[in-house]
Amino acid sequence: FPVTIAASKVILPVLTDSLTDGHNEFARTVLWHSVISNVLITFPFVLVMLFFGKFIYGLYGIYSGDRSITLPLSALAALINISLNPIGALLAAKSRMWLGACMNLMWAISYIVAAKYFIEYGANGVLIALGIGYTVHSIWVVMFAYGDLWKK
């Protein structure tokens, strides 16, 4: 969803300025509004894919029952990922790029480990592993944002 990705990039200078000036409250507000707006922009598309995934696949001539859940799974994984994008901007604004790289490495490891167990289910298994990876990733990303902005 290019709109939400662009919006996450736009908040970077705003977060950088507010954090540099010590305005954590404003940074929290910007971050929270960015997360909520990303979810609200993306959610209608996720609903369409959840309820009309089978129909969309039918447009492409794919009528297999196994594939009917692939599109909804990818939409849910995308929703988790898009909701975390603003926290990546927070990491950049705080010059914590190595921490971000380590978090992304841990995401990749959790995704690969989950994929090892679910690969036998084909595309659905890969998407389940992706969802698990993003869910695990979201735990420490949210913990960072909470600890960095809300605890101080």
Side-chain angles (χ1 to χ4, degrees), residues 5 10 19 27 38 40 48 65 70 88 90 92-93 103 111 113 116 138:
I5 293 170
V10 169
L19 291 170
N38 279 3
L40 290 176
V48 167
T70 305
L90 174 65
M103 287 180 177
Y111 176 37
V113 168
K116 181 181 184 297
S138 69

Side-chain angles (χ1 to χ4, degrees), residues 19-149:
L19 291 170
T20 302
D21 294 340
H23 302 288
N24 280 6
E25 182 68 33
F26 182 70
R28 281 192 292 268
T29 302
V30 168
L31 184 69
W32 178 246
H33 283 105
S34 183
V35 169
I36 294 299
S37 65
N38 279 3
V39 170
L40 290 176
I41 290 168
T42 307
F43 195 68
F45 296 102
V46 171
L47 286 178
V48 167
M49 289 186 236
L50 283 173
F51 293 112
F52 299 106
K54 201 173 214 175
F55 172 75
I56 293 169
Y57 268 128
L59 294 173
Y60 292 96
I62 301 170
Y63 299 102
S64 171
D66 288 347
R67 298 275 167 90
S68 64
I69 195 167
T70 305
L71 196 56
L73 285 174
S74 63
L76 290 172
L79 182 65
I80 296 169
N81 182 29
I82 286 170
S83 66
L84 298 176
N85 279 347
I87 299 175
L90 174 65
L91 284 162
K94 295 196 68 81
S95 297
R96 302 247 176 101
M97 300 305 285
W98 283 110
L99 178 60
C102 289
M103 287 180 177
N104 286 337
L105 176 63
M106 295 307 294
W107 163 80
I109 291 169
S110 64
Y111 176 37
I112 290 168
V113 168
K116 181 181 184 297
Y117 291 102
F118 289 100
I119 193 70
E120 66 188 67
Y121 300 105
N124 292 339
V126 171
L127 288 166
I128 290 168
L130 185 63
I132 290 170
Y134 282 143
T135 302
V136 170
H137 181 64
S138 69
I139 293 168
W140 55 72
V141 167
V142 169
M143 284 174 49
F144 162 77
Y146 178 77
D148 204 55
L149 285 180

